[in-house]
Every structure is written in C-alpha cells, then in structure tokens.
Amino acid sequence: MQTREQSARPPLPHTLLLGNFYAGIAQVSSGATFERRNPAQHQDVVSIAPESTAQELRSACVAAREAATAWARTPAPQRAEVLGRLVFLLTRDKESLARFVAREVGKPIREARGSVQEAIDTAVFFQSEGRRLYGQTVPSELNEKELFTYRRPLGVVGVITAGNFPLAVPSWKIIPALLCGNTVVWKPSDDAPGTAWLFFRAWQRAGLPPGVLSIVFGGGKDAAGQFLVDQVDAGLLNKISFTGSTAVGRKIGEVCGRNLQQPSLELGGKNPLVILADADLDLAVDGSLWAAFGTAGQRCTSAGNIIVDRRVLPTVREKLLRRARALRIGDPSNSEVDYGPMINQRFMEGFTQQRATGLDGGAELLLDGRRILPGDEPEGFSGDAAQGLYAAPRIFDKVKMDMRIAQEECFGPTINLVEVDGMDEAMAAANGTPYGLSSALYTRDARAMLRFKEEIGAGMTSINNSTTGAEAHLPFGGNGWSGNGTRESGIWVLDAYTRWQAVNVDLSGKLQKAQIDVAPSARPEADDFEAILPPAR
Ligand code: NAD
C-alpha cells in the first residue's frame, strides 16, 4: 500500500529495457539482467540491461571483425558523413539527452548539457578530419623513388568506459576510432547503460552501417568488461580503449602488453591546485570550489589537493569554508544546484572511508562532510535525502603530502588543504603524488607560471583556471598512474586509432639499395677547414 507521501510524488518516468546490439541486429539475451536506478530518486528504475556472458562478448567481437574490412575500405570522407548527421541529431535532441544524463548519473542539468555539447564538438571536429587524415610524402635518397606514409586503421577496438561522463568520454573514443576506419565493440559503464543506449541509437539513426559499432552491456570484473578484455588474448581485438580506475587500467595494460598491443588508458587523478601568495584569491577560491565540488567531486580532474602558500592560507581557508557552507546541493534537474548526488553506492562508501582515513592520518576536519540523511539536510538542500545518495562537502585542513588522503584519489566532494612556503615547496607538493592527470596554478607572476608549466608532471595544466574543463580539440590525458601516455581528443588521438604505414615506390626499373647505392658525397680534406678563416697575424 502506498503512503500519502509516496502517492503525492509525480509518476515515475519510463524504464528503458535495453538489449545488446551486434552483428547489426538486436540480440536476444536470455541470461541475467541488472537495473540502473536514478541516484537522486532510488525508486526510479532508469534502465534494465543484460548482464552479458563471455560467449556474447566473443560473438560481438567476431561480428565486428567481419564488418571491419568493408568499413576500412569506405573512403574516410564518407565515413565522416555519418558524423555530420550525428551532430545534427545530438544538437536537435541535446535537451532531452541532457535531462536523461541528469536522471541516470545525477549530473546537474547545466553540466549535463555541457557533456552533450562535448560530444557534439568532438563530432564536429572529426567530421572535417575525415577530409584530412593526412599522411606524408617524404623525399627519397635515391632517384626515381618515392616515399609515402599512410594512416591505416587498427581493426577492431574494444571500448570500456566509466559512468561519470557517460556521453563525453565515449564520444572521445568512439568518434575517432570509427572515423579512422576501425569497428568498435563498446561495453559502457553499468552506471550509465541508458545514456549509452541513446548514444548508440543516435549512431544508428545517423546511418552508421550495421555491425560497425556494437554495444554489449554488463558489469566489470568477472563480467562483460573482463570478457571483452579476454578477447585480446583470443586474438579478436586489436586494441582496448579504456577510461576508468587506475587499478583496472593496470590489469588491462598487462593483458595488452603481453599481446604487444598499446591500449589507451585514461585513469584516475589526484590533481593539485596551487595558490601562490600573489594570486587573485577570489578567483582561486572560485576555481577550487568548482574543481573540488563540481559533479560532487566525481571527476578524474577534480582538485585532490589545494596547495596554498602559508601567507594567504588563513584567507583562503576562511573564504573556502564560507563558500562551501553555502553550496546548493540537491535535485540535479534543478538548474540552480551546485552539485547533485553521488553516482553510486561504491563512491559514497569511498567518500565515507576517506573521512576516517584522513582523521587516522592526523588531518583536521574543517568542514565535516557526510552522507546527507533525512532530517539532517543542510540549508538550501533541494533533493530527497530518503531517496537519493547525497554527500555534504568536506574540507580537511593540516594535510601533509605523505598522508594517505593526499596520495589516494577520492571520488567525492572533498578538499585537502596543504600548506606550503613559497614556490619550491609548492612545486614539490604539486608533483608529490604518483598521479599526473591535471593541475592548476593561481598566480600573477609570469616566471612562476613558466616554471609551473615546465616542471609539473601532469598531462594538463591550467594557469589561473581550475583543474577541470577540457576542450574537444586539445589533447586530454595523463602521466604516471593517470594513464599510459596516450591522449584523447584533437589530432593527437589519431595516433591511438591508426598505425603508420611506410611505403616506397621505386620507378627506376633496377634494384636500388638504400645507403649502399647512394652516390658518395665529396669528403672534405683537412686543409679545407683551415681555408675558412685567414691565418691570424
Ligand atoms: P572502474 O575502473 O571501476 O570502471 C570503469 C569501467 O571498467 C566500467 O565500465 C566497469 O564496468 C569496467 N570494469 C571494471 N572492472 C573491470 C575489469 N576487471 N575488467 C574490465 N572492465 C572492468 O572505474 P569507476 O570507479 O567506475 O570510475 C571512476 C574512475 O574512472 C576514477 O578513477 C576516475 O578518475 C576514472 N576516470 C578517468 C577519466 C580520464 O579520462 N582519465 C575520466 C573519467 C573517469
């Protein structure tokens, strides 16, 4: 029987019933399924998807191999035509897609719109790349001989994605992989299967030929994700492109390494944001709040450590505390909220655990963020604490770089304040974790900016801007524990989805041997050097 409170709620939206799609057709799965629930409204079952078997993943990869030759032979400008239609569809449906993203993973609607826009921008960029995909002409050392380079597709790419950017991150991978002439088998995050399905449908409607992109649902360990990686050992995949945690990326790297393949691994971060004594402090606090609490801290580029010069730390501390207390948390469909719910229970548990880890390590709680429970909602809260997974912001003070909380990624709304004295200490702290994804520096000093850009180990650096905020045509990726050096986005990602082929064409009609049949150049005699300068008098 419904309570009065339940019957007063608006009716729940429809549940999407999802199925695998490979070999160009919708597949009937007879096995287990899993549910994805709205993290802001637990009663709302957003989608139900199959928990795919090892055999299904294998079949999807076999089918993708069969589709690979025809797609690779399709001229690149024609492949890119699909992207033009994709741009049209995503633009037309931007608002409904953004609302779905907000419902499925709890991203505030303004950010959800931005993540759809990122997919659109990526498609725009790569549509025109279909008319370039340049190779080179290279001069030969021999007459009547020409040298060329060509980009060739790799074959079949297995794509595995995380759920915190359920449209943007898959678009960074799938768009260039397909444009370059590969076929793709995609295992999306079990946190965002519905968004993945809508993106897949958009590709279909855009006219992608059957079998070129396949979607197979399921979990990670001992499930669809792992079964997809197994296809590397089985010889059915030419590459894995993965975005997710460092722990899983490491395992995938091992499998690919023993098969002499280079995966794309976009992993976790513990990103430093440095505030020097001469910084515009209001700007720096704006950037810190956005970097640490935006998307409830569930971004790979979230600011993990806020490293502050001791001369301005009291002011920064006071401003951060005041602003963090005033954050508006709640319903992600409300365009006024600063952040919405945690994406899943696992991230909430990690956030809860970080509190104990910080206190055990000797850090001090300046703001005690915990799960928001019914009856204990902060002022301005607009969510349903009984139905949603919400976390209040946390600020740790007196954090030292050798503490666990300064070293380990925490996917949640939390700030570590680290005190330093001057640029040398700031630089050491900023480079003081094994990660190297993003970084930021706030200062007015041009020499400090130059030094930071030169010495920081991260793959991405912002000057007077927060650690987050990628643009679709700049390389995105990290070093150290944040990735294996491959990059997403812009022209740089082309190297991740193509192999270079070197071709020489000899028109001389005789066997010409490089290095051997080259006419010897005149060797200078020792006397030639003396003649350059007149003898000193
Ligand atoms: P995760 O590694 O647990 O899962 C990511 C994906 O991998 C999911 O699709 C999951 O089902 C799958 N998976 C899990 N275990 C697997 C296994 N053993 N074999 C194959 N697939 C497996 O990541 P998460 O915790 O869900 O996501 C958050 C992490 O992702 C954070 O560390 C974050 O920093 C990172 N991330 C990185 C980027 C980036 O671009 N660098 C972007 C977004 C998220």
Side-chain angles (χ1 to χ4, degrees), residues 98-422:
R99 294 211 167 266
F100 194 89
V101 168
R103 176 182 167 211
E104 187 165 54
V105 297
K107 207 179 265 295
I109 185 67
R110 283 177 304 161
E111 288 180 49
R113 288 186 192 113
S115 75
V116 181
Q117 189 58 44
E118 179 114 13
I120 295 169
D121 295 346
T122 302
V124 167
F125 183 90
F126 284 104
Q127 184 188 4
S128 63
E129 190 56 41
R131 293 193 176 268
R132 289 186 294 269
L133 270 188
Y134 294 143
Q136 294 115 345
T137 58
V138 181
S140 170
E141 60 192 41
L142 294 163
N143 284 330
E144 297 184 277
K145 188 179 173 194
E146 293 183 310
L147 308 182
F148 306 95
T149 66
Y150 297 89
R151 286 190 182 278
R152 303 294 186 201
L154 303 174
V156 186
V157 177
V159 168
I160 302 174
T161 45
N164 60 337
F165 283 90
L167 255 181
V169 162
S171 77
W172 289 355
K173 297 176 180 302
I174 295 171
I175 289 172
L178 294 180
L179 184 271
C180 288
N182 304 286
T183 55
V184 168
V185 177
W186 179 24
K187 202 299 282 180
S189 168
D190 29 335
D191 289 328
T195 307
W197 174 249
L198 297 179
F199 191 44
F200 178 77
R201 293 285 289 166
W203 279 99
Q204 282 186 315
R205 299 253 159 92
L208 192 69
V212 170
L213 173 64
S214 303
I215 188 164
V216 187
F217 296 97
K221 187 172 185 316
D222 300 324
Q226 200 167 323
F227 302 151
L228 183 57
V229 176
D230 289 344
Q231 305 316 313
V232 176
D233 277 337
L236 291 173
L237 286 181
N238 302 91
K239 179 181 175 91
I240 293 277
S241 183
F242 171 78
T243 292
S245 61
T246 300
V248 174
R250 221 183 267 281
K251 286 187 196 142
I252 292 175
E254 285 169 15
V255 175
C256 295
R258 69 172 173 249
N259 286 280
L260 306 181
Q261 290 184 9
Q262 192 188 14
S264 288
L265 301 176
E266 303 300 334
L267 311 176
K270 189 74 190 175
N271 308 294
L273 185 152
V274 175
I275 305 176
L276 294 184
D278 71 332
D280 175 339
L281 297 187
D282 287 323
L283 184 66
V285 167
D286 272 348
S288 303
L289 286 159
W290 171 240
F293 297 134
T295 325
Q298 300 165 108
R299 298 177 183 140
C300 53
T301 52
S302 293
N305 295 319
I306 312 278
I307 297 161
V308 190
D309 189 283
R310 65 180 178 78
R311 281 160 282 243
V312 290
L313 181 57
T315 316
V316 170
R317 186 187 281 130
E318 184 273 316
K319 283 176 187 281
L320 272 177
L321 189 56
R322 186 164 39 82
R323 297 275 306 275
R325 283 197 174 120
L327 285 170
R328 294 152 304 181
I329 305 160
D331 178 359
S333 67
N334 173 350
S335 55
E336 298 300 312
V337 301
D338 290 304
Y339 70 81
M342 302 298 289
I343 295 169
N344 59 39
Q345 186 63 37
R346 184 162 53 91
F347 294 161
M348 179 63 94
E349 281 162 15
F351 175 70
T352 305
Q353 180 58 44
Q354 192 242 16
R355 182 177 182 279
T357 308
L359 291 174
D360 285 352
E364 287 179 18
L365 269 176
L366 199 63
L367 187 62
D368 187 6
R370 299 180 192 221
R371 178 163 182 186
I372 297 172
L373 294 169
D376 198 19
E377 294 93 340
E379 203 177 320
F381 180 71
S382 63
D384 180 344
Q387 285 289 322
L389 268 182
Y390 291 98
R394 174 184 300 151
I395 301 180
F396 265 118
D397 201 3
K398 309 246 182 315
V399 176
K400 304 279 178 232
M401 285 307 296
D402 58 1
M403 291 179 184
R404 270 182 60 194
I405 58 165
Q407 295 291 318
E408 295 173 359
E409 181 181 40
C410 175
F411 240 44
T414 174
I415 276 180
N416 289 337
L417 281 176
V418 181
E419 178 179 320
V420 289
D421 186 2

